Every structure is written in C-alpha cells, then in structure tokens.
Amino acid sequence: MDFSGKTVLVTGASRGIGAAIAKAFAAENASVVVNYLQNAQAADATVAACNALGGDALALQADVTDQAGARRLVADALDAFGKVDILVHNAFAPFVFSPEKRKLFWELDWSDFQAQIDGSVKAAHGMIQAVLPGMLERADGTIITIATNLIAHPVVPYHDYTTAKSALVGFGRNLAMELGPLGIRVNTVCPGLVYPTDASRAVKEDLKQSLIAQTPLRRIATPEDVAGPVLFLASPWAGFMTGQTLYVDGGAMMR
Amino acid sequence: MVERACYLPGLDPQALHWKTLTFGQGGGPGYEVAVPVLEPQDMTRLAAHVRHHAAQHLRPLPVSRIVEVIDRVIARLLDRKDPYRQRMEQALPVVTGYDAEMVRVGLTRYLKTFRKPELLRFLAEDFPNPAILDEFQPLPKGGYGRAFGPGVLGHIWAGNVPALPLWSLVCGLLVKSGTIGKVSSAEPLFATWFAEVLAEVAPELSDCLAVVWWQGGEDAPERALLQSADMALAYGSANALADIQSRMPSGKRLLQFGHKVSFAMISAEALDPAKATETARRAAEDIARYDQQGCFAPHVVFVEKGGHVSPRVFARYLAGALSAFGQRYPRRALSMAEANSLAAWRQQEEFAHGAELIGDALGDWSVSFHEGGQGFGPSCLNRAIRVVAVDALTDVPNQVAPYRAVLQTVGIAAPPDALFRLAGLLGEAGVTRIAALGDMTTPEAGWHHDGRFNLSDLVQITEMDARAPPAADRLASYDD
C-alpha cells in the first residue's frame, strides 16, 4: 500500500507500538508526525528510522491529555505538512503492566481511573477535536484508536487501564456513527499483550507462556504485528469499514 | 448391590459365618458388603496357609518380577475399562461417601504413584542394591548381606480414604512377605479387589495374601492375627494403637501409624495479585481432597503478613476457592456426629477465639480467620480450616512444637531460601514431610512415611561375615 502524499499523526510514537506504527507508515512513503511526551531521544530515533525507510518524519512534543497540547500539536503538524489524513491515537497514560504489582480493586481510587480515562478518552477527544476541522473540510479522514484485547477478557484485571480502554471503544463507535456520513472512518485496534515494550517489560515468563498456550498462533504480539492492521484500516482497502474493533492477538479473542 | 470384602485362600466360604455392612443412605443405590466373621482358629489356619504359599511361591521370586506383577495389577486398576476399576468407581463413592469425581480423580492420582518406575524408586530409597532382597550381596563394609521380610506380615488398616491399604500391601509384597490384612469397616473393599486382581495377574501368588475383617477393637481375632504374624503394621488413633500394642506378643514388632496432623504455610511472596488466587486454589485443593480425612490434609493455614494481598484477603480467596472446589467436588454428607462437631468448631472459633468466620453454617466449607493470637489447633475436618495471620513464618515452628508427636506434612508456598530455612526449623519441631502447597495429599512413592523407612523397617538382614567365604574355600573340593 502506498501512502505517498498522506500525512499520518501517531500519538505516543517515540517507543513501542506507536514507533512501530510510525515506521510502518514511513516504509509506505507516508509523511509521519511522531508525537511524544518526554523521551525526545527515543522520538528522534524513531524519526531517523522513518526517514531511513523512505518516509518524511517529524518529532513533535505534546501532552495530548491536555486539550491545548493537542491543539498545538495538530497546528504544528499542519504547519509542517499542510494536513492530517490519518490520526492514530496510540498514547495512553503511564501504566506498568505487572500482574504481581497491579493494584487490587479496593486499592484503587477514582483518581487512578480518572488518570487512565484522561489518558485514553480525554486525549482522544482533544486530538479528534483538533484534527476534525481539516478532515471535515476534505470530507476525508481516518481515525484509528488503539485499545486492548483485555476489554474482551481481562486476563489480568487492570481495572483503571482496561475500563478506560473499554470507554475508548465505545467512544469510537459513537464517533463512527457521527462521522460516517461525513466521510470519516473511525476504527479501533485491540492488541493482545505486546512484548517487548517499556510498559510490558515487567510481565513474567509464566504469564506469557500461559497466554501463548491460549493463543492459536502460539506467540505473543510484537509491536510490528500491530502495525499491519492499523495500516490496513487506514488504507482504501478498509474503505467500507468503520466502527469496527480488530483484535490483533493471534486469535486469542475471536469476535 | 452386594460386594464381598474378604479374600480367604484355603478357607471354605460356605463354612463361615457372614455379616453384612450396609452403606449409602438417602437417594442413590446403597451397597451391602458381606464380611466374614472369623474364629481365632480360622485366622490361625489362614496364616499358616499364607505363610506356606508365600514361602513356596513369593519368596523365590526376584524382586524385579514382583515389581512387574504389581505394575500390571496397578495398570489394571488404572484402566477405566477394567471391570475392577469400574467397580471401584461405582462402589467406593457410595461406601466412603466421597464425591464420585473426587474418588475417580484421586484413585488415578494415587495409583499412578505405584507404577514400575515409582516402585523401583521406592526400592532404591531403602535398598541401594534391591537385589539384597533376592540373594546375598556384598556389603560396603565387607561381607555379605541378604534382607528377609517377615514370613507373614499382619496389616490393620483404618479410616475411609479409598485405597489406603495399597501402601502397606505393596511394601509387604516387595519384601516377599505373606500378607494378612484387616480392612477398615469404613472402606473394606479396595484390599479385596487388589488381592483378586493380583490373583488374576499372577495366579502363582494367589494364596500368598488374605484379606479379613472384624469389628474394630474386637479382641479375639486381633489377638489371633497378631499371634500368627511375625510382624504387624497398624493404622489408627492413639487409643486403638495402644490396644493393638497391648495384644502384641512380646518379642514381635508392631509398626504404628497413628493419626497425624498437617498444616500449610504461605509466605508474603506468594501473595501478590498474580499469585494469590492460585495459592488459594492450591491450598483449597489440599483441604478439600477427601475432606481432610487423611493425615496429609492441613488443619491450619499460616499466612505471612506483609504481602500485597493481606492474610485477611487471602482467607477470602481461600473461601472462594473452597466454594468453587465444592461445586466440582461436593463434600460428602456428614454424619450427625460430624455435623455437631463442625457446629461446635465454628462456635469455638468465633466465640472463644474471636475469629472471623467466612462461609455459612450450612455450606460445605468453613474458613475461620485469625488476625493473630491463635496458633495451631486441630480442625474438626470436613473442609473446616483456620487461617492464622503471622508476622513471620519463622515464628510458626515454635507454635507447633508442642504437637511434635503428631506433626506430619507441611505444605509450603515460599521462595527457595525460605523453603529450606523453614524446612530445617520444621524438621526440628517434629515435622516429617515438606510438600508444595497443593501436593500435600499426594506424597511421592517411597517417601519416608512419618519419618520412617518403608521397606527397611520391615526386613531383617542376615549377614555373612567377610571371613566366611574364604573359610568355606578351605573346605572346597578344589582346595589344594
């Protein structure tokens, strides 16, 4: 698939899944905005990799949970590339996946939930508000949010994280209904456990083995595994798909 | 359904009196088990018959052949299509009251530990060179030795855990002893079936063992057995064992396996959110299997404070796991006495000891949680468990030391360093077996039962002095 002439904005793209998505778009000749929050070095490395793959990439710092930050990010992206055709909302609030250290439900405050909801739904809201005017003008645009297969089966109950991601899926479905008539598609990708990423580094072998045993394709997802379905949903090949949730987890969830 | 619980080679069943034990109440089909009422002279004749045939047919067999025979018997009992296995699966749940699925799974788990590889390990545990059971073997210190089992070994079994007699039956066969086993009235069937299958598998051994019954505590038949046997093994309560000992002719050995108590210990490391529910599941399995009737089952779970999941929350997980286990494997119906004892235990825990009780009085499990203070205490069994929070597991051995004489298995969930440190302290306190939590009720083949040797405790070594063969040489025809 050739994404020449398309601009993709990937939030949380300095590392892990976001970086893999940015690089995959770059390899298909897209212009890529690599958004990051803190790790400028990692973002620069991703940009360098994107450029080496033939894309045209730019790192932009912004806290997307803050509406002003989101607005500034999109403005900077428009300054650089003139438009945003594809938004991949991948950023989420800091979270460490550790079945051993996770908080039990009664140890969580509402503030924990709020932080995750802000990181996923509020950030998505801010980003989409910011990119929407341009997309509406062209009656064209694709939005992809990244959730998790834990919404279907919380193998480890990361209450705050998974609740927020579940909300993100509902948010995306409503948006798909609203924006479909306006030519904008909204879909969600739900990866299984992706390893290695900084967030999943603490996951122990035992859990990985038990997930592998329940996964028809018998392995854990890599960041690159997630990129393919994202590119597909962004492409004209998925032109008649909206409001969909694609599980990218080796078949662990079949729905 | 009618079954016979006896195996009496050389006695005419028509000439005996019979009594019927009735099992199974309420709904399903009950069982009537016919048991012979033996006179002391019957016992004496039986012992003589078994002694004679064991000497003729069992003692000349190499131990490797005996292992093969037992292995084939066990293979039959493991085969779910085998008629004996089918009878076991049908009758034992009714007779013992245990859930049928639990009996089926438990039988397989237990029988599997008596296959050939395990039997060989069993032998190797006590005899570095098992051929010492067959002929004189060189001894490390010089000279030669051969191990002889008793001509007739008497067994007095107790309790209702299915297939319990298998352990000592196998021990007796491996040391080539004729066997007379007295079954428990609560589970009289397994030993009989074992004997019948053995006779089918190895007809030459069919007269080498006998299975008898009398009402527990009855003096005359017990005395007759103890007088006819060369050595005896007995299971039961301290009182029952004291009675048996008092009937034992002087100069003969009685190996006693009295009631024991076990407990579990859970370290803070086993209590993070990823491990706590599995830890609880494993503990629940140890508690629920055979409703704590075996010596291996825990009476108390000591839980270390300081883990991410507190002891109190763990107690709730344990309750949840027991509840789930109960759905799969319901507890057996309690007798009036057992129900009363459970009610008394709950009351005692709650009012006398200030515990928090989880689970209602009519449920098929009870968990009492103690934040501290209370230490070890026997359970009323039938899935009643005390969970005690402790600051450090290393405090536990001191708490249990007063129960030294009755301590047996400790199921431990702790990291390696702690496992070995605790094992040392517990051994000092009198504990004889350390198991992983969840494996408490399934000891390995050849474990040192209650800290003793299974086979070497049964045999007598005949030693041939190192100087004997050279001396014999001097008398040989080839001497020059």
Side-chain angles (χ1 to χ4, degrees):
Chain A
M1 182 69 217
D2 189 7
F3 283 98
S4 300
K6 297 286 183 191
T7 302
V8 186
L9 193 166
V10 185
T11 63
S14 64
R15 296 170 292 165
I17 298 172
I21 293 169
K23 286 186 260 186
F25 274 112
E28 303 297 332
N29 307 312
S31 300
V32 183
V33 176
V34 174
N35 159 249
Y36 69 99
L37 177 63
Q38 282 169 333
N39 197 335
Q41 208 178 349
D44 288 344
T46 305
V47 165
C50 287
N51 290 337
L53 287 163
D56 176 12
L58 171 69
L60 289 177
Q61 192 283 335
D63 178 358
V64 295
T65 61
D66 164 38
Q67 195 148 9
R71 231 180 269 132
R72 181 171 54 76
L73 170 63
V74 172
D76 290 349
L78 293 175
D79 279 350
F81 296 114
K83 59 177 182 154
V84 174
D85 301 285
I86 299 158
L87 169 66
V88 180
H89 177 50
N90 166 71
F92 64 112
F95 195 83
V96 173
F97 299 94
S98 167
E100 293 78 17
K101 296 194 181 127
R102 75 171 177 89
K103 287 190 182 174
L104 300 164
F105 177 75
W106 46 89
E107 296 169 344
L108 285 160
D109 291 327
W110 176 248
S111 60
D112 296 298
F113 283 86
Q114 191 67 58
Q116 287 300 315
I117 289 171
D118 286 353
S120 62
V121 188
K122 187 180 175 204
H125 172 261
M127 285 304 299
I128 291 164
Q129 289 283 12
V131 296
L132 202 52
M135 289 184 175
L136 289 173
E137 268 172 30
R138 282 175 282 112
D140 184 30
T142 297
I143 296 165
I144 294 150
T145 61
I146 307 295
T148 166
N149 76 341
L150 293 171
I151 64 164
H153 179 49
V155 181
V156 179
Y158 299 114
H159 303 273
D160 41 355
Y161 170 78
T162 305
T163 301
K165 290 295 197 185
S166 306
L168 185 62
V169 172
F171 174 85
R173 286 179 180 155
N174 283 281
L175 205 56
M177 194 62 106
E178 190 89 286
L179 300 181
L182 303 167
I184 299 165
R185 297 185 296 111
V186 184
N187 291 289
T188 302
V189 169
C190 290
L193 175 66
V194 176
Y195 187 90
T197 66
D198 285 351
S200 67
R201 231 168 274 286
V203 175
K204 300 238 167 112
E205 286 307 309
D206 279 356
L207 177 64
K208 280 186 263 170
Q209 281 309 328
S210 91
L211 292 178
I212 287 168
Q214 293 164 47
T215 299
L217 294 177
R218 290 293 184 271
R219 61 181 180 82
I220 296 279
T222 63
E224 292 70 29
D225 286 324
V226 183
V230 171
L231 264 65
F232 163 70
L233 287 173
S235 77
W237 286 331
F240 199 52
M241 289 178 72
T242 194
Q244 301 303 307
T245 305
L246 281 194
Y247 286 86
V248 184
D249 60 1
M253 301 298 135
M254 296 192 188
R255 50 186 78 206
Chain B
M1 298 289 281
V2 181
E3 289 281 357
R4 264 190 185 185
C6 66
Y7 184 82
L8 306 167
L11 293 191
D12 174 11
Q14 310 286 353
L16 300 172
H17 289 296
W18 292 82
K19 187 180 150 77
T20 303
L21 307 177
T22 309
F23 295 93
Q25 65 277 64
Y31 266 85
E32 292 191 340
V33 177
V35 287
V37 180
L38 297 179
E39 300 299 327
Q41 60 272 25
D42 297 326
M43 202 72 74
T44 311
R45 275 176 53 209
L46 197 56
H49 185 89
V50 163
R51 179 185 300 279
H52 173 74
H53 282 86
Q56 293 286 309
H57 304 290
L58 180 58
R59 294 178 94 82
L61 283 188
V63 69
S64 57
R65 161 77 184 148
I66 300 173
V67 164
E68 272 163 26
V69 168
I70 298 170
D71 184 52
R72 283 170 54 203
V73 173
I74 299 296
R76 293 251 331 245
L77 298 180
L78 278 165
D79 175 6
R80 298 199 58 207
K81 295 193 287 297
D82 188 278
Y84 277 96
R85 169 69 187 219
Q86 289 173 351
R87 279 160 81 186
M88 282 164 55
E89 289 189 14
Q90 275 166 18
L92 291 178
V94 179
V95 166
T96 62
Y98 293 119
D99 175 67
E101 271 300 287
M102 189 163 76
V103 169
R104 182 179 70 73
V105 173
L107 278 174
T108 297
R109 258 169 73 151
Y110 182 57
L111 290 166
K112 266 164 50 181
T113 65
F114 293 91
R115 298 307 307 271
K116 184 174 174 183
E118 285 73 27
L119 294 171
L120 293 174
R121 277 172 47 208
F122 202 161
L123 282 166
E125 191 57 43
D126 280 17
F127 302 112
N129 175 7
I132 197 170
L133 290 160
D134 297 338
E135 52 192 339
F136 281 95
Q137 297 291 317
L139 298 176
K141 68 160 185 57
Y144 297 82
R146 181 169 168 189
F148 292 92
V152 171
L153 179 61
H155 306 242
I156 299 175
W157 296 302
N160 68 351
V161 173
L164 185 92
L166 181 58
W167 194 275
S168 69
L169 279 169
V170 165
C171 290
L173 283 169
L174 289 175
V175 300
K176 309 183 186 182
S177 291
T179 289
I180 299 184
K182 184 265 172 192
V183 295
S184 146
S185 300
E187 198 280 82
L189 291 169
F190 178 84
T192 304
W193 292 329
F194 178 88
E196 289 175 6
V197 177
L198 180 79
E200 285 183 18
V201 164
E204 72 274 23
L205 301 182
S206 59
D207 285 18
C208 299
L209 76 169
V211 175
V212 299
W213 174 89
W214 62 78
Q215 188 63 53
E218 227 180 292
D219 185 74
E222 190 167 281
R223 214 175 269 281
L225 171 65
L226 296 174
Q227 262 158 9
S228 315
D230 301 298
M231 188 190 288
L233 276 157
Y235 297 79
S237 66
N239 288 342
L241 291 175
D243 281 353
I244 296 169
Q245 181 70 65
S246 73
R247 294 181 188 121
M248 195 76 193
S250 64
K252 287 186 185 176
R253 280 205 295 146
L254 173 70
L255 304 180
Q256 304 185 25
F257 297 96
H259 285 333
K260 299 287 177 192
V261 294
S262 299
F263 59 93
M265 298 170 80
I266 291 162
S267 77
E269 289 85 350
L271 294 174
D272 67 40
K275 301 191 188 80
T277 49
E278 173 63 8
T279 305
R281 188 195 65 75
R282 294 184 70 92
E285 183 151 347
D286 284 336
I287 295 161
R289 199 163 288 283
Y290 296 133
D291 302 344
Q292 287 168 301
Q293 299 294 317
C295 296
F296 309 121
H299 288 238
V300 175
V301 182
F302 293 99
V303 185
E304 195 171 45
K305 294 178 188 170
H308 188 153
V309 169
S310 69
R312 184 183 300 273
V313 171
F314 176 80
R316 293 176 186 284
Y317 280 144
L318 180 59
L322 284 169
S323 173
F325 209 93
Q327 313 247 333
R328 268 175 77 197
Y329 304 111
R331 184 182 65 192
R332 69 194 222 294
L334 300 187
S335 68
M336 191 64 86
E338 286 172 317
N340 288 341
S341 133
L342 174 61
W345 180 86
R346 289 177 58 95
Q347 200 160 27
Q348 178 89 355
E349 290 292 285
E350 187 167 17
F351 298 114
H353 301 316
E356 179 184 328
L357 270 185
I358 310 171
D360 71 75
L362 298 174
D364 65 4
W365 51 270
S366 297
V367 175
S368 73
F369 174 71
H370 300 256
E371 187 61 60
Q374 280 308 309
F376 190 77
S379 160
C380 62
L381 308 184
N382 297 313
R383 307 190 190 182
I385 189 79
R386 174 186 281 186
V387 175
V388 178
V390 292
D391 291 326
L393 291 183
T394 43
D395 299 343
V396 173
N398 277 337
Q399 288 193 36
V400 299
Y403 299 89
R404 172 174 201 94
V406 293
L407 295 179
Q408 193 204 56
T409 299
V410 179
I412 299 185
D417 287 356
L419 172 67
F420 279 92
R421 193 169 57 248
L422 290 169
L425 296 171
L426 291 165
E428 291 280 0
V431 167
T432 56
R433 176 170 167 254
I434 307 292
L437 196 67
D439 293 336
M440 291 179 70
T441 61
T442 52
E444 290 172 329
W447 81 285
H448 293 91
H449 194 166
D450 294 346
R452 297 299 316 169
F453 292 87
N454 294 296
L455 300 174
S456 52
D457 267 3
L458 296 178
V459 301
Q460 175 167 308
I461 304 285
T462 298
E463 269 206 39
M464 185 185 293
D465 197 292
R467 292 160 296 185
D473 252 348
R474 291 197 291 279
L475 304 176
S477 57
Y478 51 77
D479 186 58
D480 57 18

